[in-house]
Amino acid sequence: MLKVEKLTKKYGKRTVVDSLDFTGHKGEILGLLGPNGAGKTTTMNMLTGYIAPTSGSIMLDDKDLTLPKNRKKVLIGYMPEVPPLYNDMTVYEFMKFDAELKGEKRSGRKKTVEQIMDKCGITEVKDRLIRNLSKGYRQRVGFASAIVGDPEVIILDEPTAGLDPRQIVNMRELILSLKEDHLVILSSHILSEVEEVCDHLLIISKGRLVLSDNTEHLLEEHDESLEDVFLELTGSDDEIADVHDPLTSRYEEEEDTDDEDEAEDDNIQELSDELDDADEKDGKEDN
């Protein structure tokens, strides 16, 4: 069981993730939803150990994953929105390399890699350079990489981004095939996909958990679509920049521009007040 308690991440004075509490179990697909800038990616990065939380705990069974010594004992599969692939390797070379990094024994490595490639539908492109793959195949290779080593927890960030309808169906089937033996955490903006595959939903807004509920119960209780529930709970003004990724965010640039405009207005007003004071002083001296 994965148990997250009071998970918090701050950058300076800004709180990006604020006291998240949730649990996840083997045999479950957990949907992590929220608008842009809500803290989803930061949460996933903390779960994978990529960044350290400011406070709180991440317990997997009896291991606190916020402690570096426990990270060495646990393998968590992670597929980011843009999978980090080595373009100059063939698919097969990359998969063997990944399996070696994740501790697969040499004697069984080839068989394991072949089974995973077959499961993910990438055997037919195993001898092609990754740089020459289509978007759909690159996503499949990223997915295959996430399940190498048979991790207890598998985290998928926008796994269907950029895929065509047929590829989306195939990816959905792959995700559902993991459910029996793993805890899967899925983050996606495609709410119909989330509703289709997820057993439990978490919705966060501005770093805070605003809903945690069984998918079926949620839709029956609210008697409306997941989209309606999402919009109701998150509002329309939550699209702010992820503070950990300011260089790639147009929202951050817009915010900086607004701050500069406000500062310029303040300077103009201050100069205008000074000129008014000076004119008033000169008028008194003339009298």
Side-chain angles (χ1 to χ4, degrees), residues 2 47-49 60-61 63 65 69-78 98-104 116 144-155 181-183:
L2 178 71
L47 294 177
T48 61
L60 183 59
D61 297 329
K63 302 180 185 70
L65 300 187
K69 65 178 182 179
N70 289 333
R71 281 288 174 186
K72 299 177 182 179
K73 305 174 184 177
V74 174
L75 178 62
I76 293 180
Y78 180 40
D98 199 27
E100 183 179 357
L101 286 180
K102 294 177 180 176
E104 287 287 341
I116 292 175
S145 175
I147 66 176
V148 168
D150 196 28
E152 297 178 60
V153 180
I154 299 172
I155 300 174
D181 299 317
H182 308 84
L183 164 63

PDB file of all heavy atoms in Angstrom, residues 2 47-49 60-61 63 65 69-78 98-104 116 144-155 181-183:
ATOM      1  N   LEU A   2       0.478   2.229  -0.778  1.00  0.00           N
ATOM      2  CA  LEU A   2       1.127   3.535  -0.786  1.00  0.00           C
ATOM      3  C   LEU A   2       0.308   4.484   0.078  1.00  0.00           C
ATOM      4  O   LEU A   2      -0.901   4.624  -0.118  1.00  0.00           O
ATOM      5  CB  LEU A   2       1.214   4.070  -2.215  1.00  0.00           C
ATOM      6  CG  LEU A   2       1.832   5.467  -2.373  1.00  0.00           C
ATOM      7  CD1 LEU A   2       3.332   5.418  -2.096  1.00  0.00           C
ATOM      8  CD2 LEU A   2       1.573   6.020  -3.774  1.00  0.00           C
ATOM      9  N   LEU A  47       6.957  11.571  -5.588  1.00  0.00           N
ATOM     10  CA  LEU A  47       6.687  10.136  -5.439  1.00  0.00           C
ATOM     11  C   LEU A  47       7.807   9.296  -6.037  1.00  0.00           C
ATOM     12  O   LEU A  47       8.153   8.238  -5.508  1.00  0.00           O
ATOM     13  CB  LEU A  47       5.354   9.779  -6.100  1.00  0.00           C
ATOM     14  CG  LEU A  47       4.085  10.359  -5.471  1.00  0.00           C
ATOM     15  CD1 LEU A  47       2.859   9.977  -6.295  1.00  0.00           C
ATOM     16  CD2 LEU A  47       3.919   9.906  -4.034  1.00  0.00           C
ATOM     17  N   THR A  48       8.369   9.757  -7.145  1.00  0.00           N
ATOM     18  CA  THR A  48       9.434   9.003  -7.799  1.00  0.00           C
ATOM     19  C   THR A  48      10.802   9.230  -7.163  1.00  0.00           C
ATOM     20  O   THR A  48      11.744   8.493  -7.460  1.00  0.00           O
ATOM     21  CB  THR A  48       9.537   9.381  -9.288  1.00  0.00           C
ATOM     22  OG1 THR A  48       9.836  10.784  -9.400  1.00  0.00           O
ATOM     23  CG2 THR A  48       8.237   9.080 -10.016  1.00  0.00           C
ATOM     24  N   GLY A  49      10.908  10.249  -6.301  1.00  0.00           N
ATOM     25  CA  GLY A  49      12.196  10.540  -5.685  1.00  0.00           C
ATOM     26  C   GLY A  49      13.036  11.519  -6.482  1.00  0.00           C
ATOM     27  O   GLY A  49      14.186  11.801  -6.131  1.00  0.00           O
ATOM     28  N   LEU A  60       5.596   3.347   1.414  1.00  0.00           N
ATOM     29  CA  LEU A  60       5.251   2.215   0.565  1.00  0.00           C
ATOM     30  C   LEU A  60       5.444   0.962   1.409  1.00  0.00           C
ATOM     31  O   LEU A  60       6.572   0.582   1.717  1.00  0.00           O
ATOM     32  CB  LEU A  60       6.124   2.174  -0.681  1.00  0.00           C
ATOM     33  CG  LEU A  60       5.801   1.058  -1.684  1.00  0.00           C
ATOM     34  CD1 LEU A  60       4.350   1.170  -2.172  1.00  0.00           C
ATOM     35  CD2 LEU A  60       6.753   1.091  -2.866  1.00  0.00           C
ATOM     36  N   ASP A  61       4.322   0.376   1.807  1.00  0.00           N
ATOM     37  CA  ASP A  61       4.336  -0.689   2.806  1.00  0.00           C
ATOM     38  C   ASP A  61       4.985  -0.128   4.079  1.00  0.00           C
ATOM     39  O   ASP A  61       4.452   0.783   4.671  1.00  0.00           O
ATOM     40  CB  ASP A  61       5.042  -1.933   2.275  1.00  0.00           C
ATOM     41  CG  ASP A  61       4.309  -2.523   1.070  1.00  0.00           C
ATOM     42  OD1 ASP A  61       3.078  -2.381   1.018  1.00  0.00           O
ATOM     43  OD2 ASP A  61       4.961  -3.094   0.176  1.00  0.00           O
ATOM     44  N   LYS A  63       8.146   1.199   4.228  1.00  0.00           N
ATOM     45  CA  LYS A  63       9.321   2.005   3.880  1.00  0.00           C
ATOM     46  C   LYS A  63       8.925   3.451   3.637  1.00  0.00           C
ATOM     47  O   LYS A  63       8.014   3.737   2.851  1.00  0.00           O
ATOM     48  CB  LYS A  63      10.015   1.444   2.633  1.00  0.00           C
ATOM     49  CG  LYS A  63      10.459   0.001   2.751  1.00  0.00           C
ATOM     50  CD  LYS A  63      11.128  -0.446   1.467  1.00  0.00           C
ATOM     51  CE  LYS A  63      11.475  -1.923   1.509  1.00  0.00           C
ATOM     52  NZ  LYS A  63      10.248  -2.774   1.460  1.00  0.00           N
ATOM     53  N   LEU A  65       9.684   6.531   1.773  1.00  0.00           N
ATOM     54  CA  LEU A  65      10.446   6.832   0.565  1.00  0.00           C
ATOM     55  C   LEU A  65      11.046   8.231   0.557  1.00  0.00           C
ATOM     56  O   LEU A  65      11.754   8.593  -0.387  1.00  0.00           O
ATOM     57  CB  LEU A  65       9.564   6.641  -0.671  1.00  0.00           C
ATOM     58  CG  LEU A  65       8.991   5.239  -0.871  1.00  0.00           C
ATOM     59  CD1 LEU A  65       8.289   5.142  -2.223  1.00  0.00           C
ATOM     60  CD2 LEU A  65      10.077   4.180  -0.760  1.00  0.00           C
ATOM     61  N   LYS A  69      17.978   6.184   1.905  1.00  0.00           N
ATOM     62  CA  LYS A  69      18.384   4.781   2.079  1.00  0.00           C
ATOM     63  C   LYS A  69      17.292   3.817   1.645  1.00  0.00           C
ATOM     64  O   LYS A  69      17.567   2.697   1.192  1.00  0.00           O
ATOM     65  CB  LYS A  69      18.772   4.513   3.526  1.00  0.00           C
ATOM     66  CG  LYS A  69      17.621   4.647   4.522  1.00  0.00           C
ATOM     67  CD  LYS A  69      18.071   4.317   5.939  1.00  0.00           C
ATOM     68  CE  LYS A  69      16.917   4.393   6.924  1.00  0.00           C
ATOM     69  NZ  LYS A  69      17.341   4.060   8.305  1.00  0.00           N
ATOM     70  N   ASN A  70      16.016   4.226   1.774  1.00  0.00           N
ATOM     71  CA  ASN A  70      14.912   3.353   1.372  1.00  0.00           C
ATOM     72  C   ASN A  70      14.661   3.397  -0.127  1.00  0.00           C
ATOM     73  O   ASN A  70      14.084   2.465  -0.695  1.00  0.00           O
ATOM     74  CB  ASN A  70      13.640   3.747   2.118  1.00  0.00           C
ATOM     75  CG  ASN A  70      13.699   3.378   3.591  1.00  0.00           C
ATOM     76  OD1 ASN A  70      14.406   2.437   3.963  1.00  0.00           O
ATOM     77  ND2 ASN A  70      12.982   4.102   4.424  1.00  0.00           N
ATOM     78  N   ARG A  71      15.060   4.478  -0.783  1.00  0.00           N
ATOM     79  CA  ARG A  71      14.876   4.595  -2.227  1.00  0.00           C
ATOM     80  C   ARG A  71      15.631   3.497  -2.976  1.00  0.00           C
ATOM     81  O   ARG A  71      15.223   3.052  -4.040  1.00  0.00           O
ATOM     82  CB  ARG A  71      15.359   5.967  -2.703  1.00  0.00           C
ATOM     83  CG  ARG A  71      14.371   7.095  -2.457  1.00  0.00           C
ATOM     84  CD  ARG A  71      13.192   6.980  -3.384  1.00  0.00           C
ATOM     85  NE  ARG A  71      12.166   7.970  -3.077  1.00  0.00           N
ATOM     86  CZ  ARG A  71      10.987   8.002  -3.666  1.00  0.00           C
ATOM     87  NH1 ARG A  71      10.691   7.084  -4.569  1.00  0.00           N
ATOM     88  NH2 ARG A  71      10.092   8.911  -3.349  1.00  0.00           N
ATOM     89  N   LYS A  72      16.766   3.070  -2.414  1.00  0.00           N
ATOM     90  CA  LYS A  72      17.584   2.044  -3.066  1.00  0.00           C
ATOM     91  C   LYS A  72      16.900   0.681  -3.048  1.00  0.00           C
ATOM     92  O   LYS A  72      17.244  -0.202  -3.824  1.00  0.00           O
ATOM     93  CB  LYS A  72      18.934   1.950  -2.373  1.00  0.00           C
ATOM     94  CG  LYS A  72      19.745   3.238  -2.415  1.00  0.00           C
ATOM     95  CD  LYS A  72      21.047   3.088  -1.644  1.00  0.00           C
ATOM     96  CE  LYS A  72      21.841   4.380  -1.649  1.00  0.00           C
ATOM     97  NZ  LYS A  72      23.111   4.258  -0.869  1.00  0.00           N
ATOM     98  N   LYS A  73      15.923   0.517  -2.156  1.00  0.00           N
ATOM     99  CA  LYS A  73      15.259  -0.773  -2.000  1.00  0.00           C
ATOM    100  C   LYS A  73      13.952  -0.874  -2.783  1.00  0.00           C
ATOM    101  O   LYS A  73      13.324  -1.920  -2.811  1.00  0.00           O
ATOM    102  CB  LYS A  73      14.966  -1.022  -0.514  1.00  0.00           C
ATOM    103  CG  LYS A  73      16.193  -0.922   0.392  1.00  0.00           C
ATOM    104  CD  LYS A  73      15.792  -1.029   1.851  1.00  0.00           C
ATOM    105  CE  LYS A  73      16.973  -0.827   2.772  1.00  0.00           C
ATOM    106  NZ  LYS A  73      16.595  -0.867   4.203  1.00  0.00           N
ATOM    107  N   VAL A  74      13.541   0.226  -3.395  1.00  0.00           N
ATOM    108  CA  VAL A  74      12.225   0.275  -4.050  1.00  0.00           C
ATOM    109  C   VAL A  74      12.385   0.769  -5.480  1.00  0.00           C
ATOM    110  O   VAL A  74      13.103   1.733  -5.745  1.00  0.00           O
ATOM    111  CB  VAL A  74      11.269   1.215  -3.283  1.00  0.00           C
ATOM    112  CG1 VAL A  74       9.955   1.368  -4.041  1.00  0.00           C
ATOM    113  CG2 VAL A  74      11.002   0.686  -1.883  1.00  0.00           C
ATOM    114  N   LEU A  75      11.724   0.107  -6.399  1.00  0.00           N
ATOM    115  CA  LEU A  75      11.709   0.537  -7.799  1.00  0.00           C
ATOM    116  C   LEU A  75      10.317   1.044  -8.141  1.00  0.00           C
ATOM    117  O   LEU A  75       9.327   0.335  -7.972  1.00  0.00           O
ATOM    118  CB  LEU A  75      12.083  -0.625  -8.719  1.00  0.00           C
ATOM    119  CG  LEU A  75      12.051  -0.330 -10.225  1.00  0.00           C
ATOM    120  CD1 LEU A  75      13.066   0.754 -10.583  1.00  0.00           C
ATOM    121  CD2 LEU A  75      12.311  -1.602 -11.026  1.00  0.00           C
ATOM    122  N   ILE A  76      10.255   2.283  -8.583  1.00  0.00           N
ATOM    123  CA  ILE A  76       8.991   2.871  -9.028  1.00  0.00           C
ATOM    124  C   ILE A  76       9.111   3.188 -10.508  1.00  0.00           C
ATOM    125  O   ILE A  76      10.046   3.867 -10.938  1.00  0.00           O
ATOM    126  CB  ILE A  76       8.655   4.150  -8.231  1.00  0.00           C
ATOM    127  CG1 ILE A  76       8.357   3.785  -6.779  1.00  0.00           C
ATOM    128  CG2 ILE A  76       7.460   4.868  -8.853  1.00  0.00           C
ATOM    129  CD1 ILE A  76       8.010   4.971  -5.904  1.00  0.00           C
ATOM    130  N   GLY A  77       8.191   2.668 -11.307  1.00  0.00           N
ATOM    131  CA  GLY A  77       8.197   2.936 -12.738  1.00  0.00           C
ATOM    132  C   GLY A  77       7.582   4.296 -13.027  1.00  0.00           C
ATOM    133  O   GLY A  77       6.550   4.653 -12.454  1.00  0.00           O
ATOM    134  N   TYR A  78       8.219   5.056 -13.924  1.00  0.00           N
ATOM    135  CA  TYR A  78       7.725   6.409 -14.212  1.00  0.00           C
ATOM    136  C   TYR A  78       7.813   6.691 -15.705  1.00  0.00           C
ATOM    137  O   TYR A  78       8.869   6.536 -16.326  1.00  0.00           O
ATOM    138  CB  TYR A  78       8.549   7.436 -13.442  1.00  0.00           C
ATOM    139  CG  TYR A  78       8.130   8.880 -13.652  1.00  0.00           C
ATOM    140  CD1 TYR A  78       6.781   9.232 -13.727  1.00  0.00           C
ATOM    141  CD2 TYR A  78       9.075   9.889 -13.749  1.00  0.00           C
ATOM    142  CE1 TYR A  78       6.401  10.549 -13.897  1.00  0.00           C
ATOM    143  CE2 TYR A  78       8.708  11.219 -13.907  1.00  0.00           C
ATOM    144  CZ  TYR A  78       7.362  11.540 -13.988  1.00  0.00           C
ATOM    145  OH  TYR A  78       6.985  12.848 -14.165  1.00  0.00           O
ATOM    146  N   ASP A  98      18.146  -0.294 -20.354  1.00  0.00           N
ATOM    147  CA  ASP A  98      17.237   0.066 -19.265  1.00  0.00           C
ATOM    148  C   ASP A  98      17.088  -1.093 -18.285  1.00  0.00           C
ATOM    149  O   ASP A  98      17.069  -0.905 -17.060  1.00  0.00           O
ATOM    150  CB  ASP A  98      15.873   0.458 -19.843  1.00  0.00           C
ATOM    151  CG  ASP A  98      15.043   1.269 -18.884  1.00  0.00           C
ATOM    152  OD1 ASP A  98      15.635   1.958 -18.033  1.00  0.00           O
ATOM    153  OD2 ASP A  98      13.803   1.219 -18.966  1.00  0.00           O
ATOM    154  N   ALA A  99      16.977  -2.305 -18.817  1.00  0.00           N
ATOM    155  CA  ALA A  99      16.841  -3.488 -17.963  1.00  0.00           C
ATOM    156  C   ALA A  99      18.090  -3.684 -17.105  1.00  0.00           C
ATOM    157  O   ALA A  99      18.000  -4.068 -15.924  1.00  0.00           O
ATOM    158  CB  ALA A  99      16.593  -4.727 -18.827  1.00  0.00           C
ATOM    159  N   GLU A 100      19.253  -3.420 -17.674  1.00  0.00           N
ATOM    160  CA  GLU A 100      20.491  -3.537 -16.909  1.00  0.00           C
ATOM    161  C   GLU A 100      20.541  -2.523 -15.779  1.00  0.00           C
ATOM    162  O   GLU A 100      20.923  -2.835 -14.650  1.00  0.00           O
ATOM    163  CB  GLU A 100      21.694  -3.350 -17.840  1.00  0.00           C
ATOM    164  CG  GLU A 100      23.043  -3.515 -17.146  1.00  0.00           C
ATOM    165  CD  GLU A 100      24.208  -3.355 -18.097  1.00  0.00           C
ATOM    166  OE1 GLU A 100      23.978  -3.174 -19.310  1.00  0.00           O
ATOM    167  OE2 GLU A 100      25.364  -3.401 -17.617  1.00  0.00           O
ATOM    168  N   LEU A 101      20.142  -1.278 -16.082  1.00  0.00           N
ATOM    169  CA  LEU A 101      20.126  -0.229 -15.058  1.00  0.00           C
ATOM    170  C   LEU A 101      19.200  -0.595 -13.898  1.00  0.00           C
ATOM    171  O   LEU A 101      19.480  -0.246 -12.741  1.00  0.00           O
ATOM    172  CB  LEU A 101      19.671   1.100 -15.666  1.00  0.00           C
ATOM    173  CG  LEU A 101      20.646   1.849 -16.566  1.00  0.00           C
ATOM    174  CD1 LEU A 101      19.994   3.133 -17.073  1.00  0.00           C
ATOM    175  CD2 LEU A 101      21.936   2.175 -15.819  1.00  0.00           C
ATOM    176  N   LYS A 102      18.124  -1.277 -14.193  1.00  0.00           N
ATOM    177  CA  LYS A 102      17.124  -1.590 -13.172  1.00  0.00           C
ATOM    178  C   LYS A 102      17.342  -2.951 -12.518  1.00  0.00           C
ATOM    179  O   LYS A 102      16.467  -3.451 -11.821  1.00  0.00           O
ATOM    180  CB  LYS A 102      15.722  -1.491 -13.778  1.00  0.00           C
ATOM    181  CG  LYS A 102      15.385  -0.052 -14.176  1.00  0.00           C
ATOM    182  CD  LYS A 102      14.036   0.062 -14.844  1.00  0.00           C
ATOM    183  CE  LYS A 102      13.748   1.507 -15.210  1.00  0.00           C
ATOM    184  NZ  LYS A 102      12.473   1.669 -15.948  1.00  0.00           N
ATOM    185  N   GLY A 103      18.515  -3.524 -12.755  1.00  0.00           N
ATOM    186  CA  GLY A 103      18.912  -4.695 -11.992  1.00  0.00           C
ATOM    187  C   GLY A 103      18.442  -6.032 -12.509  1.00  0.00           C
ATOM    188  O   GLY A 103      18.496  -7.033 -11.777  1.00  0.00           O
ATOM    189  N   GLU A 104      17.959  -6.081 -13.762  1.00  0.00           N
ATOM    190  CA  GLU A 104      17.563  -7.373 -14.322  1.00  0.00           C
ATOM    191  C   GLU A 104      18.807  -8.255 -14.489  1.00  0.00           C
ATOM    192  O   GLU A 104      19.828  -7.815 -15.031  1.00  0.00           O
ATOM    193  CB  GLU A 104      16.881  -7.178 -15.677  1.00  0.00           C
ATOM    194  CG  GLU A 104      15.472  -6.602 -15.597  1.00  0.00           C
ATOM    195  CD  GLU A 104      14.464  -7.613 -15.084  1.00  0.00           C
ATOM    196  OE1 GLU A 104      14.749  -8.826 -15.135  1.00  0.00           O
ATOM    197  OE2 GLU A 104      13.389  -7.183 -14.627  1.00  0.00           O
ATOM    198  N   ILE A 116       8.502  -7.838 -22.658  1.00  0.00           N
ATOM    199  CA  ILE A 116       7.969  -6.485 -22.481  1.00  0.00           C
ATOM    200  C   ILE A 116       7.724  -5.829 -23.840  1.00  0.00           C
ATOM    201  O   ILE A 116       6.692  -5.170 -24.048  1.00  0.00           O
ATOM    202  CB  ILE A 116       8.926  -5.634 -21.629  1.00  0.00           C
ATOM    203  CG1 ILE A 116       8.949  -6.162 -20.192  1.00  0.00           C
ATOM    204  CG2 ILE A 116       8.512  -4.161 -21.655  1.00  0.00           C
ATOM    205  CD1 ILE A 116       9.944  -5.460 -19.295  1.00  0.00           C
ATOM    206  N   ALA A 144       7.030   1.012 -22.054  1.00  0.00           N
ATOM    207  CA  ALA A 144       7.780  -0.227 -21.824  1.00  0.00           C
ATOM    208  C   ALA A 144       8.900   0.002 -20.815  1.00  0.00           C
ATOM    209  O   ALA A 144       9.146  -0.830 -19.933  1.00  0.00           O
ATOM    210  CB  ALA A 144       8.357  -0.742 -23.150  1.00  0.00           C
ATOM    211  N   SER A 145       9.572   1.137 -20.930  1.00  0.00           N
ATOM    212  CA  SER A 145      10.645   1.463 -19.989  1.00  0.00           C
ATOM    213  C   SER A 145      10.127   1.570 -18.564  1.00  0.00           C
ATOM    214  O   SER A 145      10.793   1.164 -17.610  1.00  0.00           O
ATOM    215  CB  SER A 145      11.308   2.785 -20.416  1.00  0.00           C
ATOM    216  OG  SER A 145      12.274   3.200 -19.477  1.00  0.00           O
ATOM    217  N   ALA A 146       8.906   2.114 -18.409  1.00  0.00           N
ATOM    218  CA  ALA A 146       8.333   2.310 -17.073  1.00  0.00           C
ATOM    219  C   ALA A 146       8.027   0.999 -16.366  1.00  0.00           C
ATOM    220  O   ALA A 146       8.016   0.941 -15.127  1.00  0.00           O
ATOM    221  CB  ALA A 146       7.064   3.159 -17.165  1.00  0.00           C
ATOM    222  N   ILE A 147       7.782  -0.078 -17.126  1.00  0.00           N
ATOM    223  CA  ILE A 147       7.401  -1.341 -16.481  1.00  0.00           C
ATOM    224  C   ILE A 147       8.564  -2.324 -16.392  1.00  0.00           C
ATOM    225  O   ILE A 147       8.397  -3.422 -15.854  1.00  0.00           O
ATOM    226  CB  ILE A 147       6.205  -1.995 -17.194  1.00  0.00           C
ATOM    227  CG1 ILE A 147       6.566  -2.431 -18.614  1.00  0.00           C
ATOM    228  CG2 ILE A 147       5.015  -1.038 -17.219  1.00  0.00           C
ATOM    229  CD1 ILE A 147       5.426  -3.163 -19.312  1.00  0.00           C
ATOM    230  N   VAL A 148       9.739  -1.945 -16.903  1.00  0.00           N
ATOM    231  CA  VAL A 148      10.914  -2.806 -16.765  1.00  0.00           C
ATOM    232  C   VAL A 148      11.258  -2.957 -15.282  1.00  0.00           C
ATOM    233  O   VAL A 148      11.241  -1.983 -14.521  1.00  0.00           O
ATOM    234  CB  VAL A 148      12.120  -2.215 -17.524  1.00  0.00           C
ATOM    235  CG1 VAL A 148      13.408  -2.947 -17.150  1.00  0.00           C
ATOM    236  CG2 VAL A 148      11.904  -2.300 -19.024  1.00  0.00           C
ATOM    237  N   GLY A 149      11.568  -4.162 -14.848  1.00  0.00           N
ATOM    238  CA  GLY A 149      11.901  -4.415 -13.460  1.00  0.00           C
ATOM    239  C   GLY A 149      10.712  -4.778 -12.599  1.00  0.00           C
ATOM    240  O   GLY A 149      10.854  -4.999 -11.401  1.00  0.00           O
ATOM    241  N   ASP A 150       9.501  -4.783 -13.208  1.00  0.00           N
ATOM    242  CA  ASP A 150       8.276  -5.137 -12.491  1.00  0.00           C
ATOM    243  C   ASP A 150       8.100  -4.304 -11.223  1.00  0.00           C
ATOM    244  O   ASP A 150       7.992  -4.848 -10.114  1.00  0.00           O
ATOM    245  CB  ASP A 150       8.279  -6.622 -12.142  1.00  0.00           C
ATOM    246  CG  ASP A 150       6.895  -7.129 -11.749  1.00  0.00           C
ATOM    247  OD1 ASP A 150       5.903  -6.558 -12.219  1.00  0.00           O
ATOM    248  OD2 ASP A 150       6.825  -8.075 -10.942  1.00  0.00           O
ATOM    249  N   PRO A 151       8.048  -2.970 -11.344  1.00  0.00           N
ATOM    250  CA  PRO A 151       7.917  -2.113 -10.156  1.00  0.00           C
ATOM    251  C   PRO A 151       6.561  -2.270  -9.479  1.00  0.00           C
ATOM    252  O   PRO A 151       5.556  -2.580 -10.133  1.00  0.00           O
ATOM    253  CB  PRO A 151       8.086  -0.694 -10.722  1.00  0.00           C
ATOM    254  CG  PRO A 151       7.656  -0.823 -12.149  1.00  0.00           C
ATOM    255  CD  PRO A 151       8.075  -2.189 -12.591  1.00  0.00           C
ATOM    256  N   GLU A 152       6.535  -2.010  -8.178  1.00  0.00           N
ATOM    257  CA  GLU A 152       5.278  -2.105  -7.426  1.00  0.00           C
ATOM    258  C   GLU A 152       4.320  -0.974  -7.796  1.00  0.00           C
ATOM    259  O   GLU A 152       3.113  -1.159  -7.841  1.00  0.00           O
ATOM    260  CB  GLU A 152       5.563  -2.044  -5.913  1.00  0.00           C
ATOM    261  CG  GLU A 152       6.402  -3.185  -5.388  1.00  0.00           C
ATOM    262  CD  GLU A 152       6.683  -3.021  -3.906  1.00  0.00           C
ATOM    263  OE1 GLU A 152       5.712  -2.985  -3.125  1.00  0.00           O
ATOM    264  OE2 GLU A 152       7.869  -2.924  -3.528  1.00  0.00           O
ATOM    265  N   VAL A 153       4.890   0.195  -8.021  1.00  0.00           N
ATOM    266  CA  VAL A 153       4.096   1.377  -8.349  1.00  0.00           C
ATOM    267  C   VAL A 153       4.540   1.885  -9.719  1.00  0.00           C
ATOM    268  O   VAL A 153       5.736   2.020  -9.988  1.00  0.00           O
ATOM    269  CB  VAL A 153       4.277   2.488  -7.299  1.00  0.00           C
ATOM    270  CG1 VAL A 153       3.442   3.714  -7.668  1.00  0.00           C
ATOM    271  CG2 VAL A 153       3.904   1.980  -5.906  1.00  0.00           C
ATOM    272  N   ILE A 154       3.569   2.174 -10.586  1.00  0.00           N
ATOM    273  CA  ILE A 154       3.854   2.702 -11.916  1.00  0.00           C
ATOM    274  C   ILE A 154       3.112   4.027 -12.076  1.00  0.00           C
ATOM    275  O   ILE A 154       1.893   4.095 -11.880  1.00  0.00           O
ATOM    276  CB  ILE A 154       3.424   1.720 -13.016  1.00  0.00           C
ATOM    277  CG1 ILE A 154       4.195   0.404 -12.876  1.00  0.00           C
ATOM    278  CG2 ILE A 154       3.650   2.324 -14.402  1.00  0.00           C
ATOM    279  CD1 ILE A 154       3.710  -0.696 -13.801  1.00  0.00           C
ATOM    280  N   ILE A 155       3.858   5.082 -12.402  1.00  0.00           N
ATOM    281  CA  ILE A 155       3.289   6.427 -12.525  1.00  0.00           C
ATOM    282  C   ILE A 155       3.344   6.853 -13.985  1.00  0.00           C
ATOM    283  O   ILE A 155       4.411   6.853 -14.608  1.00  0.00           O
ATOM    284  CB  ILE A 155       4.054   7.425 -11.638  1.00  0.00           C
ATOM    285  CG1 ILE A 155       3.970   6.978 -10.169  1.00  0.00           C
ATOM    286  CG2 ILE A 155       3.491   8.830 -11.797  1.00  0.00           C
ATOM    287  CD1 ILE A 155       4.818   7.816  -9.236  1.00  0.00           C
ATOM    288  N   ASP A 181      -1.494  -6.531 -10.968  1.00  0.00           N
ATOM    289  CA  ASP A 181      -0.287  -6.774 -10.172  1.00  0.00           C
ATOM    290  C   ASP A 181       0.427  -5.514  -9.705  1.00  0.00           C
ATOM    291  O   ASP A 181       1.509  -5.594  -9.124  1.00  0.00           O
ATOM    292  CB  ASP A 181       0.706  -7.620 -10.992  1.00  0.00           C
ATOM    293  CG  ASP A 181       0.127  -8.977 -11.357  1.00  0.00           C
ATOM    294  OD1 ASP A 181      -0.507  -9.598 -10.487  1.00  0.00           O
ATOM    295  OD2 ASP A 181       0.303  -9.401 -12.512  1.00  0.00           O
ATOM    296  N   HIS A 182      -0.161  -4.343  -9.967  1.00  0.00           N
ATOM    297  CA  HIS A 182       0.525  -3.101  -9.626  1.00  0.00           C
ATOM    298  C   HIS A 182      -0.458  -2.051  -9.109  1.00  0.00           C
ATOM    299  O   HIS A 182      -1.679  -2.167  -9.299  1.00  0.00           O
ATOM    300  CB  HIS A 182       1.243  -2.507 -10.851  1.00  0.00           C
ATOM    301  CG  HIS A 182       2.148  -3.464 -11.555  1.00  0.00           C
ATOM    302  ND1 HIS A 182       1.684  -4.352 -12.506  1.00  0.00           N
ATOM    303  CD2 HIS A 182       3.488  -3.675 -11.461  1.00  0.00           C
ATOM    304  CE1 HIS A 182       2.693  -5.062 -12.969  1.00  0.00           C
ATOM    305  NE2 HIS A 182       3.795  -4.683 -12.353  1.00  0.00           N
ATOM    306  N   LEU A 183       0.099  -1.021  -8.487  1.00  0.00           N
ATOM    307  CA  LEU A 183      -0.641   0.212  -8.254  1.00  0.00           C
ATOM    308  C   LEU A 183      -0.240   1.164  -9.376  1.00  0.00           C
ATOM    309  O   LEU A 183       0.950   1.440  -9.571  1.00  0.00           O
ATOM    310  CB  LEU A 183      -0.286   0.822  -6.895  1.00  0.00           C
ATOM    311  CG  LEU A 183      -0.692   2.300  -6.696  1.00  0.00           C
ATOM    312  CD1 LEU A 183      -2.206   2.467  -6.769  1.00  0.00           C
ATOM    313  CD2 LEU A 183      -0.144   2.835  -5.370  1.00  0.00           C
TER     314      LEU A 183
END
